[in-house]
Amino acid sequence: VSAEAIGQATARQAQLTKPAGSLGALERAGIQLAGIYRTSPPPVPGCATVGVFAADHGVCAQGVTPWPQEVTVSMLLNMAAGGAAINVLSGQAGADVMITDVGVKLDYPASPRVRDRKVAAGTRDLSVEPAMTLEQALAAVAVGLDAADEAVASGATILLTGEMGIGNTTPSAALISVFTGAAVATVTGHGAGVDDEVLAHKVEVIERAIALHSPSADDPVSALAAVGGLEIAALVGFILGGARSQVPVILDGVIASAAACVAAAIAPAAKGYLIAGHAGLEPGITAALAHLGLEALVDLGLRLGEGSGAVLALPIVRSSAAILSGMATFADAGIEA
Amino acid sequence: VSAEAIGQATARQAQLTKPAGSLGALERAGIQLAGIYRTSPPPVPGCATVGVFAADHGVCAQGVTPWPQEVTVSMLLNMAAGGAAINVLSGQAGADVMITDVGVKLDYPASPRVRDRKVAAGTRDLSVEPAMTLEQALAAVAVGLDAADEAVASGATILLTGEMGIGNTTPSAALISVFTGAAVATVTGHGAGVDDEVLAHKVEVIERAIALHSPSADDPVSALAAVGGLEIAALVGFILGGARSQVPVILDGVIASAAACVAAAIAPAAKGYLIAGHAGLEPGITAALAHLGLEALVDLGLRLGEGSGAVLALPIVRSSAAILSGMATFADAGIEA
């Protein structure tokens, strides 16, 4: 990011016809966009792509979620048909949805709306063996990098993270614990609907996996392979790809926050390109965003995933850029500041 | 609002392809829109009008704000020229800005973009005499009612509140104290930039005004006349007009919250049409929204007014309706819920 553009945008915020600081988070986001796009005022990010990565999780064998793995396929096809929440929300926000199968377990009829980049038919059970081999993890990261490149080549000037994978709050909590240093119990939540008893079991499963693999934030790809997921690895690549192409990346919820922790460990400079879309109810988000130095733009109590929280924040991000280019300065308006 | 449509929308939320309740505040907003529009799924509110009402305040003579009253005119003309934050944010959200002078003190060149409905050249100093006569207060309410009718006649299916008036957090805090019963000191904030010393003085001025007029929530129009403002009275009418036309009204910040407390005291049924856009930093908002039973959709740390917080919530409100009409049900997608 450009420190010069950040300085110019900061100075411009003070000249616009409003009390200093009165647009709060909108001012900070606009300044960040100037740094990312290396110009002040920054362009309003028009063409947006939500990268939705789908995969399954071997740890579901441990009963960490009430939903059967068939739901990953059903929801993937629902997204391909345009019937999922992310389709509706993206339609409202004017964003494209790019759906990638990076590791769905079960077979399904091929769909022209689903990019088949399957690295494996789901991960293995991270509580008894590494979820992925190093090669699989790196291949899934490459799928995400390629998706980011493809989106940017198609004109996207902002990327949004999305995902679908029954059971994926379990590897996300494991990664957040590893990368933030927070205790598993403090970063593990109810996901898409487990009760307190299953939650306690989920914590125990994650603690067992961490004891087994001893994943370390100093060896991020190995940690990702041991306790991560294929769609999480793809999101790591998608985030790194966005940063490499110098476009902002809006994070959705806890899955994206986990991927962002891994991406930031691999390439700390990627942090400057991240915008936290939604705070959410999963406790791991709070720990991950604090670790990344990010504050979420909205908190609507969502616990869906798919990219829903990121795409709901998109109009706010666009508005933050438009403020810098569209508002009059005190000098323009003939007002003494 | 229609209890039948609310019931239908509530039932439909449970059938959509997402875990029950996983869209949080978006689900509640969609259900409310179904009730307001009396049909489920509700239409997506496309055509939106931000009603911005501008006026001045005699209480500025007491030094409750560092900004000179000339700024009301400067910002009114800035809005008319399209250079204010509300113009930029409305452009991004696809909303029209309707600017009405209901009581600006100083003269300025007529503008085709400013509706001249001046009831008086500002209010009188509420700390020494009633801010308005009853006739003036009622005339200003009528200005707001007419503006709502005009917006709806022009096609608006959702209204958003906006305002401009140097000093107007003072009458707003007074009204919120009167209508919620909360102590003045707990509902008075720093407005658009007063320090702790001026804040203490502001509280003292409001307490003096309330002791002088003894305004009562049981006589809402008299209370509005005694300690309110012309643009606040117009917002009361705008809110009542929206409810009368059965369209939702998104509230901006503390000024709109004060007006909504008055409107709800006049016509309690109006509460069902209100959506709180932005939580904001002024402590009076919290008290007013709790009194009205509302929860704000976003909190971006804004303290600008103009309608900025309402218009930033508009895409979320639209999305809440789109979810109900656009998402597949479990039955559609062939998923067993």
Side-chain angles (χ1 to χ4, degrees):
Chain A
V1 304
S2 159
E4 193 187 344
I6 287 173
Q8 289 168 346
T10 304
R12 188 168 175 85
Q13 290 288 17
Q15 293 159 2
L16 300 174
T17 47
K18 57 181 173 53
S22 62
L23 284 177
L26 223 56
E27 298 193 14
R28 294 188 291 276
I31 291 167
Q32 184 185 2
L33 292 177
I36 292 171
Y37 291 126
R38 300 169 175 264
T39 185
S40 172
V44 177
C47 184
T49 297
V50 188
V52 178
F53 300 91
D56 279 301
H57 297 269
V59 72
C60 284
Q62 301 293 325
V64 290
T65 169
W67 297 81
Q69 284 188 309
E70 284 77 9
V71 172
T72 303
V73 168
S74 300
M75 284 306 299
L76 187 71
L77 296 176
N78 190 25
M79 283 182 197
I86 190 61
N87 305 103
V88 175
L89 298 175
S90 297
Q92 282 293 312
D96 294 321
V97 180
M98 178 193 233
I99 307 167
T100 303
D101 173 356
V102 65
V104 174
K105 183 177 179 185
L106 302 174
D107 290 331
Y108 57 92
S111 158
R113 294 278 327 265
V114 177
R115 301 162 76 247
D116 179 4
R117 303 287 188 280
K118 205 189 290 273
V119 169
T123 54
R124 279 166 289 188
D125 180 351
L126 57 85
S127 70
V128 297
E129 59 185 319
M132 297 170 272
T133 64
L134 267 181
E135 290 69 27
Q136 288 173 332
L138 288 168
V141 170
V143 167
L145 275 166
D146 287 350
D149 285 352
E150 201 173 303
V152 171
S154 299
T157 54
I158 187 164
L159 303 180
L160 296 82
T161 71
E163 44 61 43
M164 178 66 217
I166 294 300
N168 65 7
T169 58
T170 294
S172 297
L175 290 170
I176 289 170
S177 173
V178 170
F179 284 85
T180 67
V184 171
T186 65
V187 298
T188 306
H190 290 82
V194 308
D195 60 23
D196 287 343
E197 195 180 328
V198 179
L199 177 59
H201 173 61
K202 191 170 160 183
V203 169
E204 188 270 320
V205 167
I206 297 170
E207 284 174 341
R208 186 149 37 96
I210 289 177
L212 177 65
H213 306 297
S214 299
S216 161
D218 296 330
D219 187 358
V221 178
S222 295
L224 176 64
V227 299
L230 290 154
E231 82 280 47
I232 300 173
L235 284 172
V236 171
F238 194 66
I239 290 165
L240 293 174
R244 184 171 66 179
S245 291
Q246 302 182 348
V247 299
V249 180
I250 308 183
L251 303 176
D252 186 27
V254 69
I255 319 298
S257 302
C261 288
V262 181
I266 294 172
K271 277 193 277 191
Y273 294 86
L274 301 177
I275 296 170
H278 190 275
L281 298 172
E282 286 286 305
I285 298 186
T286 312
L289 295 186
H291 173 72
L292 295 163
L294 301 176
E295 255 184 273
L297 286 173
V298 296
D299 184 0
L300 294 162
L302 307 183
R303 50 181 178 79
L304 178 66
E306 297 185 5
S308 54
V311 79
L312 282 162
L314 178 58
I316 295 171
V317 174
R318 287 189 181 130
S319 289
S320 78
I323 283 291
L324 278 165
S325 51
M327 274 186 74
T329 62
F330 284 111
D332 293 337
I335 303 173
E336 284 180 41
Chain B
V1 304
S2 158
E4 193 187 345
I6 286 173
Q8 289 168 345
T10 304
R12 187 167 175 85
Q13 290 288 17
Q15 293 159 1
L16 300 175
T17 47
K18 57 180 171 56
S22 62
L23 284 178
L26 222 55
E27 298 193 13
R28 296 189 290 276
I31 290 167
Q32 184 185 1
L33 291 177
I36 292 171
Y37 291 126
R38 301 169 175 264
T39 185
S40 174
V44 177
C47 186
T49 297
V50 188
V52 178
F53 300 91
D56 279 300
H57 297 270
V59 72
C60 284
Q62 301 293 324
V64 290
T65 168
W67 297 82
Q69 283 188 311
E70 285 77 10
V71 172
T72 303
V73 168
S74 301
M75 284 305 300
L76 186 72
L77 296 176
N78 191 26
M79 283 181 197
I86 190 61
N87 304 102
V88 175
L89 298 175
S90 297
Q92 282 292 312
D96 295 321
V97 180
M98 178 193 233
I99 307 166
T100 304
D101 173 356
V102 64
V104 173
K105 183 177 178 184
L106 301 173
D107 290 332
Y108 57 91
S111 159
R113 297 275 328 265
V114 178
R115 302 163 73 248
D116 180 3
R117 303 288 188 278
K118 204 190 291 275
V119 169
T123 54
R124 279 167 287 188
D125 181 350
L126 57 84
S127 71
V128 297
E129 59 185 319
M132 298 170 272
T133 64
L134 267 182
E135 290 68 26
Q136 288 173 331
L138 288 169
V141 169
V143 166
L145 276 166
D146 288 349
D149 285 352
E150 202 175 303
V152 170
S154 300
T157 55
I158 186 164
L159 303 180
L160 296 83
T161 70
E163 45 61 44
M164 179 65 217
I166 293 302
N168 65 7
T169 59
T170 293
S172 298
L175 290 169
I176 289 170
S177 173
V178 169
F179 284 86
T180 67
V184 171
T186 66
V187 297
T188 305
H190 290 82
V194 307
D195 61 23
D196 286 343
E197 195 181 326
V198 178
L199 177 59
H201 173 61
K202 193 169 158 182
V203 169
E204 189 269 321
V205 167
I206 296 171
E207 284 173 343
R208 187 149 35 95
I210 289 177
L212 177 66
H213 306 297
S214 299
S216 162
D218 296 330
D219 187 358
V221 178
S222 294
L224 176 64
V227 299
L230 290 155
E231 82 280 45
I232 300 173
L235 284 172
V236 171
F238 194 65
I239 290 166
L240 293 173
R244 184 171 65 179
S245 291
Q246 302 182 350
V247 298
V249 180
I250 308 183
L251 302 176
D252 186 27
V254 68
I255 319 297
S257 303
C261 288
V262 180
I266 294 171
K271 276 192 278 191
Y273 294 86
L274 300 178
I275 296 169
H278 190 275
L281 299 171
E282 286 287 305
I285 299 186
T286 312
L289 295 186
H291 174 71
L292 294 163
L294 301 176
E295 254 184 274
L297 287 173
V298 296
D299 184 0
L300 294 162
L302 307 183
R303 50 181 179 78
L304 178 65
E306 297 184 5
S308 54
V311 79
L312 282 162
L314 177 59
I316 294 170
V317 173
R318 287 189 181 129
S319 289
S320 78
I323 283 290
L324 279 165
S325 51
M327 273 186 75
T329 63
F330 284 112
D332 293 335
I335 303 173
E336 286 179 40

